[in-house]
Amino acid sequence: AMKKLILLLLLPVKSVLATPDYMELTNQLAEGHIIPLYEDFARQTEKFAKDVNQFCETPLKNQLPQLQKSFRQMALSWARVQHINFGPIQYLDGYAKMQFFPDKRGITQRKLRKILNDKNPEVVKEVRDGTETPPVQGLGAVEYLLFKESQKTLNSKYHCQLLTAQAHFFQSHAKNTKVAWQTFYKDAFNSVEENNQEASKVSIAEMMKANLFALELARSRQIGLAYAPKKKKGKPFYVQFPLSEISFDVLEQNVNTQKTLVATIYAPLIQEALGQEPLEKLLQQFDQVLGKINSFDMSLRQAVSQPETRTKVKDLYLESGLLFKMVAQTLTKSLEIPIGFNALDGD
């Protein structure tokens, strides 16, 4: 199986069709895709922070399910926006601090256990300021406190202080990223200063990499790492959000976000360059993958652990790989932008 997908696709062929209006496209992507997703993420992080504050004022057992639900909603919102792995979200290592995944060595739990044992108030301050390390700072750490350590979070003042600091970081980082995209970074993405097609073309290439990153993330990490056979006894299956059991949900949100983008903003360009049939086939492949995701009535961890359902996970893995290739070929041809990169790190 490929660990890296190196994409070097067809060079654009000269056509009688008009070259895409890259300046208009960057504006559509910013206003119709990127900014709305960050606005939603900012709303969800704000709600989660409020829910955490309310819970920690008087921790009650009957309030915990509602807080866990609020966490799940925030995580699903992150799943919709996590493919935008460039721009303001990267400042001060902010993208890595949102979620440390895959955590193959169990670093998050080891660090948290030590922190919770030491109860150092300086760590709480660092988490609140966003200066702690990604394993302690991110969604996986919050998931651990709310699901693995839920009883202690109910009874420990320090647990709640740490949880409150994490929620504050999410809210602050999401808000700052949203505002940056609404203002100066939108202008940079739209190449307002350069005001030419070639500069906008660079932004479109960046966005295409992000789109393909999302689908390769789905194939090789969200599905592939979970499906990979155990090489050693006791080795875990690497599942995103294992404790809250929303792995299939975040996968669906990831894939469906890319489908929506193709069906709306990219669709007219694909139709203009390639015709209706390639667009329909691509959307059908999206539906094929989403249908397979929704066919499971159990968690991803359970699905890969049972022989009778591992085959279904393998089928999903293969179909998501085909989807990646179809999107890569379709976007490259219709946008006339050949790109070469490692789909997971953007090189």
Side-chain angles (χ1 to χ4, degrees):
M2 291 180 293
K3 291 183 178 178
K4 288 187 174 181
L5 287 185
I6 304 298
L7 183 61
L8 189 56
L9 294 169
L10 299 175
L11 291 171
V13 245
K14 290 188 177 180
S15 166
V16 293
L17 298 174
T19 300
D21 185 341
Y22 298 117
M23 294 173 66
E24 174 60 24
L25 182 54
T26 56
N27 186 62
Q28 290 176 4
L29 287 168
E31 296 286 356
H33 180 73
I34 298 171
I35 292 175
L37 289 177
Y38 273 122
E39 288 174 341
D40 176 68
F41 186 50
R43 283 192 297 269
Q44 294 298 334
T45 57
E46 181 181 13
K47 181 181 183 303
F48 179 69
K50 288 180 179 178
D51 291 341
V52 168
N53 289 334
Q54 182 178 348
F55 172 84
C56 285
E57 283 178 4
T58 311
L60 298 173
K61 190 173 183 178
N62 62 0
Q63 292 179 339
L64 185 60
Q66 180 58 39
L67 185 56
Q68 291 173 330
K69 179 181 178 181
S70 183
F71 168 81
R72 288 187 175 101
Q73 292 302 315
M74 179 176 64
L76 293 178
S77 181
W78 169 246
R80 292 189 286 272
V81 78
Q82 68 179 337
H83 64 287
I84 306 171
N85 58 349
F86 62 91
I89 193 72
Q90 289 283 21
Y91 296 167
L92 301 176
D93 206 21
Y95 186 88
K97 288 177 180 176
M98 285 307 306
Q99 185 176 21
F100 185 69
F101 172 78
D103 184 1
K104 293 186 177 182
R105 299 180 181 179
I107 297 173
T108 298
Q109 294 194 23
R110 287 206 311 273
K111 280 183 170 289
L112 279 176
R113 282 196 292 264
K114 185 177 187 309
I115 288 169
L116 294 170
N117 182 64
D118 294 345
K119 295 181 172 56
N120 185 346
E122 284 300 312
V123 173
V124 173
K125 183 180 183 301
E126 289 170 356
V127 169
R128 184 179 179 85
D129 294 341
T131 57
E132 250 293 349
T133 58
V136 177
Q137 200 77 60
L139 290 166
V142 175
E143 184 186 36
Y144 181 82
L145 289 175
L146 288 180
F147 293 88
K148 185 75 172 179
E149 293 264 313
S150 58
Q151 193 59 44
K152 292 182 180 178
T153 301
L154 276 168
N155 300 314
S156 164
K157 183 178 179 181
Y158 188 82
H159 276 62
C160 250
Q161 289 175 343
L162 186 60
L163 182 62
T164 303
Q166 289 164 325
H168 173 82
F169 165 71
F170 293 148
Q171 181 184 5
S172 175
H173 194 45
K175 180 181 178 180
N176 290 341
T177 304
K178 176 197 72 172
V179 171
W181 269 104
Q182 290 173 330
T183 54
F184 73 91
Y185 200 81
K186 180 179 72 173
D187 289 344
F189 183 74
N190 288 344
S191 306
V192 170
E193 186 174 332
E194 293 87 349
N195 193 32
N196 64 65
Q197 295 286 350
E198 285 304 311
S200 294
K201 196 172 179 179
V202 173
S203 294
I204 301 301
E206 195 73 40
M207 190 67 223
M208 288 169 64
K209 289 184 181 182
N211 301 142
L212 297 176
F213 166 80
L215 298 174
E216 178 60 2
L217 173 68
R219 184 197 75 90
S220 69
R221 293 189 181 180
Q222 292 177 317
I223 305 169
L225 284 176
Y227 176 72
K230 293 185 178 183
K231 295 180 181 178
K232 297 179 181 178
K233 186 177 180 181
K235 174 186 172 183
F237 294 109
Y238 300 114
V239 176
Q240 193 177 23
F241 296 110
L243 302 174
S244 53
E245 297 190 337
I246 56 172
S247 301
F248 275 129
D249 298 304
V250 297
L251 176 61
E252 178 190 22
Q253 293 299 313
N254 178 12
V255 175
N256 194 56
T257 298
Q258 301 312 309
K259 179 193 173 185
T260 301
L261 177 58
V262 168
T264 55
I265 295 176
Y266 287 143
L269 296 168
I270 295 172
Q271 289 173 312
E272 175 71 16
L274 307 176
Q276 182 66 22
E277 186 176 351
L279 175 62
E280 290 180 353
K281 285 184 177 179
L282 181 56
L283 294 176
Q284 287 169 4
Q285 185 61 25
F286 269 109
D287 289 338
Q288 176 82 348
V289 171
L290 290 167
K292 287 185 178 295
I293 294 171
N294 291 320
S295 70
F296 290 91
D297 57 359
M298 62 186 71
S299 71
L300 179 55
R301 183 179 291 276
Q302 291 173 320
V304 297
S305 302
Q306 300 175 16
E308 60 271 23
T309 48
R310 276 187 64 83
T311 302
K312 288 182 63 179
V313 177
K314 181 180 180 181
D315 289 343
L316 174 59
Y317 173 80
L318 295 174
E319 291 292 344
S320 64
L322 177 59
L323 176 62
F324 173 92
K325 292 177 182 177
M326 290 178 67
V327 171
Q329 292 171 351
T330 303
L331 291 185
T332 302
K333 291 178 181 178
S334 57
L335 299 180
E336 299 184 6
I337 301 178
I339 53 177
F341 75 110
N342 176 325
L344 282 178
D345 61 23
D347 291 339

